[in-house]
Amino acid sequence: MTGRGDRIALMATLAWRSLRRRALSSAVTVIAVGVASGLVLAVWSIQDQARRAFTATPGGFDAVLGARGSQLQLVLNTVFHLDTSPGNIPWTMYERMRNDPRVAAAIPYAVGDSYASYRIVGTSSELFSRASLGDGALVIEPGGRVFGPAAREAVVGSMVARRASLGLGTTFEPRHGFGADATQHHESFSVVGVLKATGRPADRVIWVPVDAMLALEGHVIRGAGVEYVPRPGAAIPIEHKELSAVMLRLCDPNAGFSLDDEINRRGRTATLAWPIGTSVAEVFQKLGWLGEILRVVALLTVLVAVASVLAGIHNTLEARSREFALLRSVGASRGIVSGVVAGEAFLLGSFGAVVGVAVYAAIFAVSAAAVHARAGVILDPFAYHPVLLLGPVITVLAALLAGVVPAVAAYRSDVSTALTRS
Amino acid sequence: MRPVGAGSPAPQFPGDVIVEMRGVRASRPRPPDGRRPVLDLPLFQVQRGERVAVLGPSGCGKTTLLHVVAGLLGVDTGSVRVAGCELSGLTEAARDRFRASAIGVVFQSFNLLPTLTAEENVLLPLRLCGHRDSARARHLLKRVGLTQEARAPSSHLSAGQQQRVAVARAVVHEPMLVVADEPTGNLDRASARAVTDLLLEVCEEAGASLLLVTHDRDLAARLDRTVMMADINRVGGSGAGENAS
């Protein structure tokens, strides 16, 4: 090893041993730096990932047609299966969309029932058709099949199958509504298919034929503007049918502009949420201030962590002045002494950065599980974000910067005075 | 071996004088912003291979004299030649390199870096010169009777053992001069005698001169020459300051 390399190795050894000698305070500082670093990584990365995941979730659809009201509520209700439905639209609107040349595929959605807290959506078998929806179509695991057109059959999402123990051949009785106020239906549905996991909200939904759902005992439908109670075993006249929404796949972007103008600007009875991602993106924009607050909080923790590095090292200088003087007395330069101090800051920062990645991983795991359970959206732990590379580097640099003050103090200490003082 | 750090002045000294201080005046900081004179030496010399004891009461400037000779403290005026090198003309960094290659030091107490083992402490001067002769360090530890303690943290050693490690460290790089500041001041009589014997022996084996500051007249009597600080320092009596050592 060269003389220079040996001196660097000596500085590293002395720095490491010094930290080890003060194991408790060093560990506390490393944890403080790690938590701060992890928070920064989490705030920046998870926020960005959530935005990407939510805006990329439509699953083969370009637009949603629903009752007049909030586009965001419509998207949350139909794409993410969150929130309540803004209201219903008559079946005839669905028929009109199906026959509209600007629309490549129109899928009906009827919501309002649940089982084991999981949402039941009445729809058509087209939802599982690659011909209609391409890669956005839901895929059923081998051994299963799509439900019959009006049969009391169901296809369940992968999460529902796992958590509510609904496998092929099992049956369940839906409840009308959600939560404590829900009332029990007494018709039972049998599971004929389980979906392959998609990482999308579809995983936590039970899909049934829309006609079977509308016909459930206790349902009152108002598609024609008057109340109609379906009779058991009898087909529901089309004019009485109603839906919560219609999911649309458009032929081209121009169709979106055209439908937007027709339904949202000139029409008064329905709302078209298009493009779907834009509505979600608006939510993130509107909640941008919350992200800013989180970022400021994360940066403040970094500031506190950096200060703890500074204080942790600086407070030891007085007690170690004799140690540094001894080092100088055997020929170490001021540079080596300050290098030892800076080395300690570097090591604290480096270990802190490593702990930070672990903290980030833990925060990510908890957040991803919560987002998946509540919204069915999967966050990718390996998705790249610049902060994942820059964060650890900046952590080390910030710790080094904090080490400058004590390093300069060590550099300026007078060896002869320190030796005579002790 | 006499390793010399890169860029350090080459030790060359004609004749037999290894330390020569002429017209040296040195001072120490006096808070808040003044300085107080501590040393005023018209002439002080140590011959090559000579073992010199410096005696004097506390505060008479003995330690300051050692620090100036070791290049730990700069002088205000005068010439300090050590091993043929004019220290007063060197930068502090050059004095550091010179010290690393040509001078060994032993202090009264707290001689070792507590985070290093005994062997690592002995190796320190070599590593600062870019050498890593572990065999020599181990040989010296064996020489001072601490083979078993080589890997022990220095903080686990007794005061006497720590001083023996310090003695080994002082000569590991085969310096031309060893300066010792009351090396037995913190030891019991038996340990003090053992450490003194060791110091004299290893200095002789290494061919190093010895400049030793002490209160102990018996110890001083074992060296080649004794110098009374009051005789050479014109900042007389307690004028060197109570805290100057």
Side-chain angles (χ1 to χ4, degrees), chain A residues 326-415:
Chain A
L326 270 175
L327 200 54
R328 295 288 314 280
S329 74
V330 294
S333 64
R334 287 179 187 269
I336 287 180
V337 170
S338 55
V340 170
V341 175
E344 289 176 22
F346 175 79
L347 288 174
L348 288 173
S350 300
F351 291 131
V354 172
V355 171
V357 172
V359 168
Y360 162 69
I363 294 175
F364 189 96
V366 172
S367 307
V371 169
H372 188 227
R374 288 166 189 266
V377 173
I378 287 184
L379 304 183
D380 178 8
F382 301 107
Y384 171 75
H385 188 286
V387 78
L388 296 178
L389 286 181
L390 288 176
V393 174
I394 290 172
T395 300
V396 176
L397 291 179
L400 256 180
L401 196 66
V404 166
V405 174
V408 168
Y411 184 92
R412 295 177 64 174
S413 66
D414 182 77
V415 55

Side-chain angles (χ1 to χ4, degrees), chain A residues 1-86:
Chain A
M1 192 184 287
T2 64
R4 188 189 189 88
D6 206 53
R7 281 192 289 273
I8 291 173
L10 175 64
M11 285 189 277
T13 302
L14 291 172
W16 165 241
R17 298 278 179 83
S18 173
L19 292 181
R20 214 174 57 176
R21 194 159 184 245
R22 300 176 275 123
L24 181 63
S25 69
S26 300
V28 169
T29 307
V30 164
I31 289 170
V33 173
V35 168
S37 176
L39 274 177
V40 166
L41 299 186
V43 166
W44 260 265
S45 170
I46 293 176
Q47 203 176 24
D48 182 66
Q49 269 220 57
R51 185 179 53 76
R52 284 168 192 262
F54 274 86
T55 52
T57 296
F61 298 113
D62 301 308
V64 188
L65 178 71
R68 194 73 176 168
S70 156
Q71 291 188 17
L72 176 61
Q73 189 182 3
L74 192 57
V75 169
L76 288 178
N77 188 245
T78 55
V79 177
F80 298 101
H81 305 285
L82 301 167
D83 211 347
T84 53
S85 168

Side-chain angles (χ1 to χ4, degrees), chain B residues 200-238:
Chain B
L200 294 176
E201 286 165 17
V202 295
C203 281
E204 189 170 347
E205 288 163 12
S209 305
L210 175 64
L211 180 59
L212 183 147
V213 159
T214 184
H215 285 107
D216 186 342
R217 287 179 181 276
D218 292 339
L219 169 57
R222 298 182 62 192
L223 273 59
D224 301 329
R225 180 160 64 98
T226 298
V227 174
M228 299 304 294
M229 199 62 196
D231 294 341
I232 59 169
N233 188 7
R234 287 201 296 219
V235 181
S238 61

Side-chain angles (χ1 to χ4, degrees), chain A residues 1 3 6-7 9-10 14 17-18 21 322-323 326-334 336 415-417 419-420, chain B residues 28 63 67 72-73 92 96 99-100 105 107 109-116 120 124 127-128 130-132 169:
Chain A
M1 192 184 287
D6 206 53
R7 281 192 289 273
L10 175 64
L14 291 172
R17 298 278 179 83
S18 173
R21 194 159 184 245
R322 172 78 187 188
E323 210 177 307
L326 270 175
L327 200 54
R328 295 288 314 280
S329 74
V330 294
S333 64
R334 287 179 187 269
I336 287 180
V415 55
S416 182
T417 304
L419 285 170
T420 51
Chain B
R28 286 189 179 279
T63 295
H67 286 190
L72 293 166
L73 181 67
E92 190 176 87
D96 290 338
R99 189 165 57 252
V105 292
F107 298 109
S109 58
F110 305 114
N111 256 304
L112 307 181
L113 290 180
T115 54
L116 299 182
E120 287 168 335
L124 206 49
R127 293 186 72 180
L128 287 167
H131 299 269
R132 192 194 274 267
R169 187 184 61 197

